[in-house]
């Protein structure tokens, strides 16, 4: 495959469409990791504000690791998918314990962290350390599908991986006799920023190519879902503070939410079931002596 024309196009579009986002002004792996996690399910415009606010509250991975679960969940409210916050907290503790606070550069070591998969791991490697690899994120997937698989439905990721790997540049020699000219110094960091910005542009201007990926799935409705009820009970637990909640109070809170939305009351066992799930996943703890659930403060 001759990747040069494609690289030239992406490089040009990357310059034209470049977004000056706050996490692009750092090489701190903690801040870059945070942006990768936040961007998984949240629009860029919202992440811009929340990313900075989070770093003011938890400026280092050590500060995040030492924070109570309640503080971490409270800082995350409004972002959705509370599991991400819990995974950030667990991963921060793992980094402090396993790596003495230093982010590993190896992809397999990064994937040991809770909530970190291959794409997030390579995002950290590319943007913090300028290391090459396969960063198969939704905007990158969009670009590859648009240029190499036009009108092909249900393309599996295994068909994309080789192209992503072949087109990603390796680290360049910054100076000396083997250095490339300034306008040809693509690195994984600059390359994937260009791919992200070009892919975001494509999704706004043409029918979204990523829908032709075999891994594409439409998100289920949030309103009235169990996911919405879980999020509501996490907020209720945070508001309850050290007093906690019992199943009856949790059910009353859910019934109130459903009534406001014009939906019927929840089934008798729903609140109890969600509380048990949240406790099992580490969002809260149950005190059996009082039959109440608490978030660790």
């Amino acid at each position: 495959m001759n990747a040069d024309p494609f690289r030239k196009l992406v490089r040009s579009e990357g310059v034209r469409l470049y977004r000056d986002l706050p996490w692009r002004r750092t090489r701190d792996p903690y801040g870059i990791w945070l942006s990768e996690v936040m961007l998984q399910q949240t629009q860029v415009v919202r992440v811009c504000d929340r990313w900075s606010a989070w770093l003011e509250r938890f400026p280092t991975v050590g500060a995040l690791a030492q924070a109570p679960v309640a503080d971490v969940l409270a800082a995350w409210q409004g972002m959705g998918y509370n599991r991400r916050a819990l995974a950030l907290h667990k991963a921060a503790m793992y980094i402090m314990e396993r790596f003495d606070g230093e982010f590993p550069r190896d992809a397999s070591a990064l994937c040991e962290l809770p909530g970190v998969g291959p794409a997030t791991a390579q995002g950290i490697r590319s943007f913090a350390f300028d290391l090459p690899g396969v960063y198969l994120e939704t905007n990158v997937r969009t670009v590859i599908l648009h240029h190499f698989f036009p009108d092909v439905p249900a393309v599996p990721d295994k068909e994309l991986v080789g192209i992503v790997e072949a087109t990603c540049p390796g680290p360049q020699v910054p100076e000396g006799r083997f250095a490339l000219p300034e306008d040809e110094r693509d690195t994984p960091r600059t390359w994937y920023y260009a791919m992200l910005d070009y892919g975001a542009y494509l999704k706004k201007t043409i029918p979204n190519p990523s829908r032709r990926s075999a891994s594409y799935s439409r998100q289920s409705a949030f309103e009235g879902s169990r996911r919405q009820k879980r999020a509501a009970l996490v907020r209720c637990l945070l508001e309850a503070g050290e007093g906690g909640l019992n199943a009856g109070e949790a059910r009353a809170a859910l019934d109130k939410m459903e009534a406001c939305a014009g939906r019927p009351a929840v089934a008798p066992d729903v609140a109890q079931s969600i509380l048990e799930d949240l406790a099992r996943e580490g969002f809260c703890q149950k005190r059996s002596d009082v039959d109440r659930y608490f978030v660790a403060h």
Side-chain angles (χ1 to χ4, degrees), residues 30 33-44 46-47 50-51 54 64 69 72-73 75-92 113-116 120 219 222 227 230 234 278 281 283:
Y30 170 54
W33 167 52
L34 176 63
S35 72
E36 289 292 303
V37 174
M38 285 186 164
L39 288 164
Q40 287 170 6
Q41 303 287 348
T42 309
Q43 293 181 341
V44 171
R46 180 182 293 184
V47 172
R50 298 300 296 270
W51 182 83
W54 181 280
L64 176 57
V69 173
V72 175
L73 290 174
W76 192 265
Q77 292 309 289
M79 290 284 287
Y81 294 95
N82 288 301
R83 284 191 181 93
R84 291 184 292 169
L86 204 61
L88 281 167
H89 188 239
K90 291 178 179 178
L113 303 178
V116 174
T120 301
Q219 190 178 72
F222 180 69
R227 184 159 51 94
R230 282 173 54 98
V234 168
L278 293 175
E281 295 167 24
F283 287 95

Side-chain angles (χ1 to χ4, degrees), residues 257-276:
M257 180 183 73
E258 297 298 89
C260 289
R263 294 188 292 264
V266 299
D269 61 341
V270 168
Q272 180 71 48
S273 171
I274 293 176
L275 286 173
E276 290 173 357

Side-chain angles (χ1 to χ4, degrees), residues 198-213:
Y198 182 33
Y201 168 78
L202 287 174
K203 288 197 290 189
K204 292 177 181 178
T205 54
I206 62 174
N208 187 357
S210 65
R211 293 176 182 172
R212 293 188 282 101
S213 166

Side-chain angles (χ1 to χ4, degrees), residues 44-64:
V44 171
V45 64
R46 180 182 293 184
V47 172
C48 285
D49 292 334
R50 298 300 296 270
W51 182 83
S52 300
W54 181 280
L55 289 176
E56 288 179 6
R57 192 162 184 176
F58 312 111
T60 65
V61 69
L64 176 57

Side-chain angles (χ1 to χ4, degrees), residues 40-217:
Q40 287 170 6
Q41 303 287 348
T42 309
Q43 293 181 341
V44 171
V45 64
R46 180 182 293 184
V47 172
C48 285
D49 292 334
R50 298 300 296 270
W51 182 83
S52 300
W54 181 280
L55 289 176
E56 288 179 6
R57 192 162 184 176
F58 312 111
T60 65
V61 69
L64 176 57
Q66 293 173 4
V69 173
D71 289 358
V72 175
L73 290 174
W76 192 265
Q77 292 309 289
M79 290 284 287
Y81 294 95
N82 288 301
R83 284 191 181 93
R84 291 184 292 169
L86 204 61
L88 281 167
H89 188 239
K90 291 178 179 178
M93 291 190 291
Y94 188 89
I95 290 168
M96 297 304 297
E97 295 169 3
R98 175 72 173 80
F99 300 110
D100 197 26
E102 295 291 328
F103 271 78
R105 299 189 178 202
D106 180 70
S108 61
L110 286 166
C111 286
E112 293 177 14
L113 303 178
V116 174
T120 301
Q122 185 54 44
I124 297 168
R125 283 166 46 81
S126 296
F127 303 132
F129 305 122
D130 237 343
L131 295 172
V134 176
Y135 181 50
L136 193 51
E137 182 270 354
T138 181
N139 285 331
V140 174
R141 188 180 282 111
T142 293
V143 174
I144 299 298
L145 287 168
H146 176 65
H147 282 279
F148 295 94
F149 298 90
D151 303 320
V152 180
V155 181
D157 280 352
K158 65 181 181 181
E159 297 291 334
L160 311 181
V161 166
I163 298 173
V164 175
E165 187 172 33
T167 55
C168 175
Q172 305 292 350
V173 179
E175 56 186 21
R177 62 181 296 189
F178 297 111
L180 291 171
E182 183 69 30
D183 63 352
E184 295 181 16
R185 290 183 191 173
D186 286 337
T187 67
R189 178 180 167 97
T190 59
W191 172 253
Y192 281 126
Y193 281 155
M195 289 279 277
L196 291 175
D197 293 344
Y198 182 33
Y201 168 78
L202 287 174
K203 288 197 290 189
K204 292 177 181 178
T205 54
I206 62 174
N208 187 357
S210 65
R211 293 176 182 172
R212 293 188 282 101
S213 166
S215 62
Y216 177 81
S217 62

